[in-house]
Amino acid sequence: MSKSHLERRIHKLRDELLDAQFDLRKSKAGGVILIVAGVPAAGRTETIRELLQWLDQKYISVRAFELPDRHERRRPPMWRYWQCLPARGRITVLFNGWYSDFFSAASAATKAHLRKRSVARIERLERMLCADHVAVVKVYLHVDSKLQRKRLKRLQADKLTRWRVTSEDRLMAKCHRAVDRAATVCMKATSHKAAPWLLVDGTTEERRVLAVGNALLNGFRRVQEQSREGETYPWPEPSPGDGAPLPSRPTRTLSDEEYEKELREQQARFALATRRSRFRKRALVLAFEGMDAAGKGGAIHRLTHALDVRQFQVIPVSAPSPEELAYPYLWRFWKHVPEHGAVTVFDRSWYGRVLVERVRAFTPEVDWRRAYAEINEFELELAEHGIIVQKFWLSVSKQEQLDRFKKRDENPLKRFKVDPEDWKNHRFYDAYQLAAREMIERTHSPHAPWVVVEADDKQYARVTVLKAVCDRIERELG
Amino acid sequence: MSKSHLERRIHKLRDELLDAQFDLRKSKAGGVILIVAGVPAAGRTETIRELLQWLDQKYISVRAFELPDRHERRRPPMWRYWQCLPARGRITVLFNGWYSDFFSAASAATKAHLRKRSVARIERLERMLCADHVAVVKVYLHVDSKLQRKRLKRLQADKLTRWRVTSEDRLMAKCHRAVDRAATVCMKATSHKAAPWLLVDGTTEERRVLAVGNALLNGFRRVQEQSREGETYPWPEPSPGDGAPLPSRPTRTLSDEEYEKELREQQARFALATRRSRFRKRALVLAFEGMDAAGKGGAIHRLTHALDVRQFQVIPVSAPSPEELAYPYLWRFWKHVPEHGAVTVFDRSWYGRVLVERVRAFTPEVDWRRAYAEINEFELELAEHGIIVQKFWLSVSKQEQLDRFKKRDENPLKRFKVDPEDWKNHRFYDAYQLAAREMIERTHSPHAPWVVVEADDKQYARVTVLKAVCDRIERELG
């Protein structure tokens, strides 16, 4: 390819990229993530800088991740990446992205990166992003050992660029062959249809940027096409639970006296459990689901009453805001994942997707169907980080729900709780029951179990919730 | 007051508080901050817990601040408080809030809290919040030394409450009188009409919670009244600058050759300056203002080209989103304050308030008028933390602006830049000039200077911006 031919192609690409970015910004069809990895001196920085010049950089964020700091280590490994996902219409460029562990000099030696679970975690994330209209473009820049040494020498000779050569770079250059071999294995393991790796020759600047730019352009196009055609990659249907019977407990009525006594006892138990030194390396996530007036708020109150007010957060979940809609579905829940030692209580949760959004048809079936698998993955990642996850379905009968609505309308201290929308949801009672049953079957797991609480008697329900939480924590802390 | 009389009053207060919270949530008139301070064992935790039981706790966040961690120390001291301001309709309860330094055992000894500037900083914040419809309710709970000792003993005797007594508590109990004296001085210094301190006797539980609850209720009412009547506390008019002539530089035209040479030189200078080890304890905030097509984007590109792509962020500022509108005006800019070692470039900035919002009458005069003082305070806080603040007004003539709009319409690589809104703004050219002149006069300061750049020649403007930034950084780093 002659020089002038290259230049013409670059000019054309620039034009197309700018168009594509503009279209994406207008259509807000989705976002794009560009992950740039590669060997030192292959031109990662230069390529990104060039692309920033071509595009409207106001809608691009560039992030690099080093080893997790104290703050980040107190949250699950993928947490920090969720914080920087692009909103619809935006681009995020990541140095190495979630592959930081994979492409370091250390990993080339230890092969720690090959742990099956880290590969699966990444693939899950990328498929989820893809289904949620975020294109993931992954490029790996490569140069041979000779050219790499030459470039590093030149960078070090100039005081303007010396800072760019780190000790990690020097180490990686030294074991160039091992790094190459490790990278090949990694790319093979983490290439899949939704987000394949592209190996780019970093020898000449124009060809390199042309290749990366074209990959990015494809990413833009994928997002647009997908949003038009609604095509998503096939998503695995999760198995309907482990078949074990749900731990639903028979209902009974407590006298006021029994209630007061049990409540005090369980609250003390809960307070002690969350004060144990072992809990400081764990955390607690509680999700409360149930129809309107099932008594979620009351049960949560009785729980949090036992805690240090500085230790917990109650997150009310309702219809997503426009800002939240601009991100993949689970983004707004990842934001509130507690750090070690803390408790987060969700008053309604990520299960809204397969409950209200399903029943009221706010979300297309293909999207809420894949939510089961996404949710299972989310909860697994929490559990793997030592977070104790416990979910409650507060089950209230149709008649009792109606009675409570009526009572609420009359009680001045509770009138704020009734909404016209609630009455509407009451009409969907049976559809909710069906959705709840399927939800519980598909997302009940040993590390994030559902507890179904018969909630027609409020006092009984509250004590049962507290007991279940205490049982779980005590078992987990040993 | 008899026991039953107290109970009736509490019941009435609960009812009123619930009503007030509900009204606030519906009207979204503003937010409420409740700061609870006091001596150990005066009942701070119990009071907050009681209020959480009364109110709808889904719309309340509780936060406590310990000594700033590494992450927080890399940002100005008030940064972490800005992150937890309540959105309209919400309540934030803060343990000690921004008074943590003031009410510690150490401060009672050293009187470090009395530094005039920390008092002024807090008063400014509280007045700003008040003007922005956030009521700040401050209560200090107190018990005498004898009762305090008795309560601490009781807390320590029970394994359920032992964890609550910290070494700091014991130290403060030991020097009860010194703590009292220091607190009195502090409260006097930081009581002002917008947010007075309320001293509450913590001896009996009912009276204590009644007093705090009533203060909170008043807070709710203040917000509602203020939003109805638009009454704000008088806000100091900032002096119109220091009278010094603005450092506007005469325009001239650069040949392409001169431009290339100068650009390369200045970019190298900038790259070196931001790589100096001293810069790691500083940060850089650049704000670009100017009419549409003044060349802000181009100048920013030339600047950021010299930086490590991981080191800077470009923040485009346009009309606030609904989420941003739910917070005090400067909230969305505080979010992006860089940590030490980083560079943030604002493409348009907090000056939108006194430019577009003024010219197009999007904001009432009383609000944009007080923005001058708020902005000066904001920039001062950045500067006090070692952040180098530099602001540019890119000045383009009326004719040149028109020519550029026309050219943009024709150039395929730039067509994305023209918006119908731009043509509209062009008609307001003279009003913008007037607003810009007043803005520069009122907010030019040695620690956050404006540089007016004649931008009819783009190349000249870009080089001038780079030079000014380099001059400034080099002078600051010494």
Side-chain angles (χ1 to χ4, degrees), chain A residues 224-241:
Chain A
Q224 297 282 14
E225 271 164 34
Q226 207 190 338
S227 85
R228 263 196 305 273
E229 297 164 23
E231 177 235 26
T232 53
Y233 293 88
W235 198 263
E237 186 84 342
S239 64

Side-chain angles (χ1 to χ4, degrees), chain B residues 14 21 85 89 93 134 160 173 201 209 231 333 372 387 422:
Chain B
R14 257 185 94 156
Q21 187 193 16
L85 295 185
V93 179
V134 180
L160 263 180
D201 179 7
V209 75
E231 176 235 26
F333 306 106
Y372 294 124
I387 299 175
D422 295 350

Side-chain angles (χ1 to χ4, degrees), chain A residues 74-76 266-267 269-276 278-288 300 303-304 306-308 311-315 333 336-347 350 378-379 382-383 385-392 447-449 451 465-477:
Chain A
R74 292 166 68 87
R75 299 242 168 54
Q266 297 301 329
Q267 282 180 336
R269 227 179 122 197
F270 186 40
L272 281 181
T274 53
R275 279 292 133 196
R276 285 177 60 183
R278 281 187 192 176
F279 189 72
R280 265 178 254 154
K281 302 223 154 188
R282 307 295 295 272
L284 181 63
V285 164
L286 300 174
F288 282 84
I300 292 172
L303 267 169
T304 56
L307 294 172
D308 180 2
Q311 190 185 14
F312 73 87
Q313 266 208 301
V314 177
I315 308 293
F333 306 106
H336 295 295
V337 166
E339 56 173 14
H340 278 164
V343 177
T344 304
V345 183
F346 289 90
D347 187 344
W350 41 96
F378 171 50
E379 293 173 353
L382 299 185
H385 191 62
I387 299 176
I388 303 167
V389 182
Q390 174 82 62
K391 306 170 292 193
F392 290 98
H447 58 266
V451 173
V465 164
L466 261 162
K467 263 188 196 157
V469 172
C470 292
D471 286 350
R472 184 80 203 292
I473 301 185
E474 286 171 3
R475 210 166 46 240
E476 285 279 335
L477 298 186

Side-chain angles (χ1 to χ4, degrees), chain A residues 200-238:
Chain A
V200 174
D201 178 7
T203 311
T204 67
E205 201 182 318
E206 289 85 1
R207 278 167 216 269
R208 184 178 68 209
V209 76
L210 202 58
V212 177
N214 269 316
L216 185 60
L217 185 61
N218 273 331
F220 280 123
R221 290 191 175 149
R222 234 152 57 213
V223 175
Q224 297 282 14
E225 271 164 34
Q226 207 190 338
S227 85
R228 263 196 305 273
E229 297 164 23
E231 177 235 26
T232 53
Y233 293 88
W235 198 263
E237 186 84 342

Side-chain angles (χ1 to χ4, degrees), chain A residues 77-78 98-99 101-102 111-125 190 377 381 384:
Chain A
M78 301 309 268
W98 32 85
Y99 292 94
D101 303 348
F102 287 62
K111 304 200 177 170
H113 51 278
L114 279 183
R115 278 179 301 125
K116 237 176 154 182
R117 180 59 195 137
S118 1
V119 171
R121 206 184 272 151
I122 284 177
E123 185 174 336
R124 279 304 182 104
L125 175 65
T190 58
E377 172 69 17
E381 288 184 29
E384 285 171 338

Side-chain angles (χ1 to χ4, degrees), chain B residues 77-271:
Chain B
M78 300 310 266
W79 180 79
R80 58 181 185 160
Y81 305 116
W82 275 89
Q83 307 305 306
C84 67
L85 295 185
R88 290 173 201 282
R90 292 189 57 96
I91 305 165
T92 299
V93 179
L94 298 175
F95 268 85
N96 288 332
W98 31 86
Y99 292 95
S100 308
D101 303 348
F102 287 63
F103 295 130
S104 67
S107 76
T110 60
K111 302 197 177 173
H113 51 277
L114 279 183
R115 280 179 298 127
K116 235 177 157 179
R117 181 59 196 138
S118 3
V119 171
R121 205 184 274 152
I122 284 177
E123 185 173 336
R124 279 303 181 107
L125 175 65
E126 291 177 351
R127 293 182 68 158
M128 184 279 302
L129 288 171
C130 174
D132 252 335
H133 302 198
V134 180
V136 181
V137 178
K138 307 187 289 194
V139 297
Y140 188 90
L141 306 190
H142 186 263
V143 287
D144 63 34
S145 176
K146 206 174 135 201
L147 183 58
Q148 183 179 45
R149 275 203 303 273
K150 203 176 118 196
R151 282 189 183 166
L152 286 175
K153 217 176 260 171
R154 210 177 47 211
L155 284 171
Q156 278 183 297
D158 187 345
K159 64 177 177 172
L160 263 180
T161 51
R162 192 176 301 149
W163 56 269
R164 284 182 44 196
V165 184
T166 62
S167 55
E168 167 85 6
D169 289 344
R170 279 191 292 269
L171 185 60
M172 286 181 77
K174 215 182 247 169
C175 41
H176 190 273
R177 197 177 304 172
V179 167
D180 265 8
R181 229 179 300 125
T184 313
V185 176
C186 290
M187 284 193 278
K188 218 170 182 176
T190 57
S191 256
H192 49 100
K193 209 186 144 208
W197 275 102
L198 177 70
L199 188 66
V200 173
D201 179 7
T203 311
T204 67
E205 202 183 317
E206 289 85 2
R207 278 167 217 270
R208 183 177 68 208
V209 75
L210 203 57
V212 177
N214 268 317
L216 184 60
L217 185 62
N218 274 331
F220 280 123
R221 291 191 175 147
R222 233 151 58 210
V223 175
Q224 297 282 13
E225 271 164 33
Q226 206 191 337
S227 85
R228 264 195 304 272
E229 298 164 23
E231 176 235 26
T232 53
Y233 293 88
W235 198 264
E237 187 83 341
S239 63
D242 51 7
L246 292 171
S248 159
R249 308 181 188 207
T251 184
R252 93 192 152 84
T253 309
L254 291 181
S255 73
D256 284 359
E257 219 167 61
E258 282 175 305
Y259 171 65
E260 287 299 337
K261 185 169 155 283
E262 289 235 38
L263 188 67
R264 245 198 321 272
E265 269 177 28
Q266 297 301 328
Q267 282 180 337
R269 225 179 124 198
F270 186 42

